[in-house]
Amino acid sequence: MKVIEPIAGIGLGLIVLVDIFLVVLYTRTDMGIISRYLSHALWRILLWCSRHMGRWRGSFFVLTGPIILLSVLATWALLMCLSTALIVPPYLGTGIRFDNGNTPTDFMTALYVGGSSLSFIGGAGDFSPETPVFRLFYLMMSLIGVSMLSLTITYLMQLYGDLLDRNAHALKVHLRSAETGDAAEVIARLGPDGEFDAGYQVIAAWADEVAEIKESHAFYDMLFYFRFRQPFYSISRTTLTSLDTVALIKSALDNKEYGWLKDSSAVEELGRGALMELQMVVELSPRESNIDKSPDEQRRDRWRRRYEAAIERLQREGIKTDKSGVGQYISLRSEWDSYIRELAPQYGYDMDEIDPALAKIK
């Protein structure tokens, strides 16, 4: 045991440090060793608990992100303490001594010494390294502890900064639709009286924001677990509005009058960026897919009527339309609709909240 425990402690410490490296420094989603499985497990547990909360479900779900985040950070700290606690027991009383009497050799003392060496808890002066090897050990553990603390603070600041950017983007998209969540309303406001010159600049800026939000999620998968009461803050709602806006621009606008807009790089980038974000979130989701990706005839019929309602709204704004584009609209919508229907329930949202324009079509 005097050999096995230190080896196990070193192995555990290396696993924790690699996990921190992958999550905080490598910054690519779903790459953690410990944090990945812990986050997924906690998400499933909290999702199950939320189903029994009734009208308090929305308020409870707001806590999921902070709970999972704190759990991951606490797990890192505790496992690093455990790592050192496995290393030092054979050397208590020899390499490490208690300053005020006989040196205890029980596990809790080893855990206390481990935390002290990392500076996670106070009382480091109660135990002193007696050999050059353990002086170096204390120095290394102290540097690791300080580095973990600094990285954690930096990680939290960046994470919440990106969360703020995501929410600000979601609010902008919501306001562009006059707080309706209807992409037809977005297009009507982008092209009043049929003029899209100024609206094109909005679409270009919108596409840039989507690319930034997508990369934020690629850097920090912890963003996936933050959910808010208002549906318009959800990834499902934001990406649906973005993708539906692109689908209607490409299918419902008159090609002769607005061909330049339909073929523009801004519209293409908005559609591709939003779809990439949506696919990434769904693929990294901790839940298995149960959604049929091929729409049935009933759903296609609802999309046709949704298209017709959108045409009417655009015409009232003086925008020239093409009623023959319904087939193209259905084809474009088929590329992403199943992802929306798969993602929304995982965050505790009803599809009528996520797609209010389609909810009006019964």
Side-chain angles (χ1 to χ4, degrees):
M1 292 301 292
K2 289 183 178 182
V3 176
I4 294 175
E5 283 186 356
I7 292 176
I10 293 171
L12 178 60
L14 288 175
I15 290 173
V16 175
L17 292 177
V18 170
D19 192 54
I20 294 172
F21 171 80
L22 292 174
V23 173
V24 179
L25 297 178
Y26 185 63
T27 58
R28 287 286 97 178
T29 53
D30 220 33
M31 291 296 293
I33 301 174
I34 302 168
S35 56
R36 172 187 179 185
Y37 296 104
L38 175 62
S39 299
H40 285 191
L42 287 174
W43 176 258
R44 292 189 182 98
I45 292 171
L46 294 171
L47 181 64
W48 180 84
C49 292
S50 71
R51 293 176 182 146
H52 300 81
M53 293 291 178
R55 65 188 183 92
W56 299 103
R57 187 184 191 192
S59 300
F60 174 78
F61 238 135
V62 174
L63 302 175
T64 54
I67 289 173
I68 293 173
L69 176 59
L70 289 175
S71 298
V72 169
L73 298 180
T75 299
W76 284 341
L78 290 173
L79 288 180
M80 282 304 299
C81 289
L82 179 60
S83 169
T84 55
L86 290 172
I87 295 172
V88 302
Y91 309 100
L92 289 174
T94 55
I96 301 173
R97 292 182 183 276
F98 186 51
D99 295 340
N100 300 311
N102 294 330
T103 303
T105 58
D106 58 280
F107 179 76
M108 291 306 298
T109 299
L111 191 63
Y112 176 75
V113 171
S116 298
S117 67
L118 289 161
S119 300
F120 287 162
I121 61 176
D126 295 346
F127 291 83
S128 301
E130 296 294 321
T131 65
V133 172
F134 275 93
R135 291 190 184 98
L136 180 61
F137 173 79
Y138 261 64
L139 176 61
M140 290 180 59
M141 291 299 101
S142 179
L143 290 174
I144 289 174
V146 171
S147 298
M148 287 178 61
L149 182 60
S150 300
L151 288 173
T152 299
I153 293 173
T154 304
Y155 178 72
L156 289 174
M157 291 175 62
Q158 188 61 53
L159 178 69
Y160 276 90
D162 286 349
L163 184 61
L164 174 61
D165 291 341
R166 190 185 79 178
N167 280 12
H169 169 71
L171 182 58
K172 289 178 186 178
V173 174
H174 181 59
L175 294 175
R176 286 184 190 126
S177 70
E179 303 181 51
T180 64
D182 188 345
E185 189 65 36
V186 173
I187 299 172
R189 292 161 67 87
L190 290 174
D193 298 322
E195 297 293 333
F196 281 94
D197 292 338
Y200 176 80
Q201 302 302 321
V202 175
I203 295 172
W206 189 349
D208 289 342
E209 290 178 2
V210 167
E212 291 175 2
I213 298 301
K214 188 269 177 188
E215 279 305 293
S216 294
H217 282 88
F219 268 53
Y220 303 106
D221 58 0
M222 194 61 65
L223 287 170
F224 299 134
Y225 303 110
F226 283 82
R227 189 264 198 198
F228 298 88
R229 292 188 185 92
Q230 298 89 338
F232 63 79
Y233 282 126
S234 70
I235 302 170
S236 308
R237 173 76 164 268
T238 305
T239 53
L240 182 144
T241 305
S242 301
L243 290 166
D244 204 24
T245 296
V246 172
L248 287 173
I249 287 175
K250 289 187 172 184
S251 63
L253 298 191
D254 180 73
N255 193 60
K256 183 177 180 181
E257 185 74 19
Y258 306 112
W260 66 272
L261 178 63
K262 298 168 74 169
D263 296 332
S264 66
S265 61
V267 171
E268 184 65 24
E269 288 169 13
L270 175 59
R272 290 301 305 159
L275 182 59
M276 289 173 66
E277 178 189 359
L278 181 61
Q279 289 174 330
M280 180 182 66
V281 174
V282 171
E283 287 170 4
L284 297 175
S285 169
R287 219 174 134 188
E288 294 292 332
S289 172
N290 295 314
I291 300 295
D292 184 6
K293 289 182 168 48
S294 57
D296 56 23
E297 189 55 40
Q298 182 180 7
R299 183 164 294 278
R300 287 172 174 268
D301 182 61
R302 290 186 70 194
W303 291 350
R304 290 189 189 96
R305 287 180 285 148
R306 188 276 183 278
Y307 177 83
E308 293 168 359
I311 288 282
E312 293 178 4
R313 175 65 187 95
L314 298 179
Q315 288 177 342
R316 289 199 305 270
E317 197 61 41
I319 299 173
K320 293 184 180 180
T321 59
D322 181 4
K323 293 184 178 180
S324 66
V326 62
Q328 184 182 13
Y329 176 74
I330 292 174
S331 177
L332 289 170
R333 180 141 189 168
S334 298
E335 294 177 2
W336 48 263
D337 181 79
S338 61
Y339 294 114
I340 300 290
R341 289 187 290 119
E342 181 178 347
L343 187 62
Q346 296 191 44
Y347 284 86
Y349 294 113
D350 186 89
M351 275 305 299
D352 288 349
E353 297 177 301
I354 299 302
D355 192 359
L358 191 65
K360 298 176 183 178
I361 310 294
K362 300 300 183 181

